[in-house]
Amino acid sequence: SWTNSDGLYIKYGPDKATAKKGGEFVPTTNLRTVEFKIDLTALTESETPLDDTIFLPAGARIQEVEIVTHTAATNGAAIDLGLIKTDRSTEIDYDGLLAAAPTANMNAAGEKNIYSDNTTYDGALIGTTLAYTGYVTCSRTTATAFGAGVIYVKIRYYMP
């Protein structure tokens, strides 16, 4: 896989046929939802796109981020959820959706937390309109790896 001179990310072989991790639901109103699953044990401290189908478009106004715990998180300290431009290297805001959301908020199966503007651990992009299209990134905040944990994330936004 590589980025060509037009800025398009090109995939070959097995990368091209890999099943996707998430995407956007067909909206019935102007409120849209992007939903995906994150295996916390697979996270590193590096911010890279989760998947090519998990992005937020330019002009989107982010309303909230919802986290539902499927498998309780252990060991790791916290996660950041953010955005990277479609060139896959320029930061929009690596903790713009969630800023150091702690393991304590993901340590019980079925636990649900909603992060909206001006709530604890909300990112700076919640409540704002995006200037750029960005892929969603997720990283752990420390070198301590998660021993377990699976979460489902829903990002709700609307196009004004």
Side-chain angles (χ1 to χ4, degrees):
S1 300
W2 61 287
T3 302
N4 70 13
S5 61
D6 294 334
L8 299 174
Y9 190 64
I10 309 297
K11 293 183 175 187
Y12 292 99
D15 284 344
K16 192 170 185 175
T18 303
K20 300 301 172 194
K21 298 177 184 176
E24 181 178 353
F25 291 106
V26 176
T28 55
T29 66
N30 68 341
L31 183 62
R32 300 177 181 190
T33 302
V34 175
E35 183 174 353
F36 50 93
K37 177 173 89 171
I38 298 175
D39 177 353
L40 298 176
T41 64
L43 295 179
T44 66
E45 291 177 86
S46 299
E47 289 80 8
T48 56
L50 291 171
D51 198 289
D52 295 330
T53 60
I54 305 173
F55 65 91
L56 298 177
R61 185 159 181 87
I62 302 169
Q63 182 182 35
E64 65 186 19
V65 176
E66 178 182 313
I67 303 290
V68 178
T69 303
H70 181 284
T71 305
T74 61
N75 297 346
I79 62 169
D80 287 335
L81 195 67
L83 296 171
I84 191 170
K85 286 185 179 179
T86 55
D87 66 4
R88 307 174 81 80
S89 62
T90 306
E91 175 183 2
I92 294 175
D93 191 341
Y94 290 144
D95 63 358
L97 300 172
L98 289 180
T103 302
N105 285 13
M106 302 172 277
N107 66 357
E111 184 173 12
K112 178 171 132 177
N113 289 283
I114 297 175
Y115 304 90
S116 56
D117 194 20
N118 296 318
T119 58
T120 306
Y121 312 115
D122 72 314
L125 296 175
I126 296 178
T128 67
T129 301
L130 297 179
Y132 304 98
T133 297
Y135 290 118
V136 176
T137 64
C138 189
S139 62
R140 62 181 193 235
T141 58
T142 67
T144 304
F146 284 90
V150 174
I151 60 173
Y152 289 99
V153 179
K154 292 181 182 180
I155 302 171
R156 293 189 182 88
Y157 70 93
Y158 61 93
M159 299 299 287

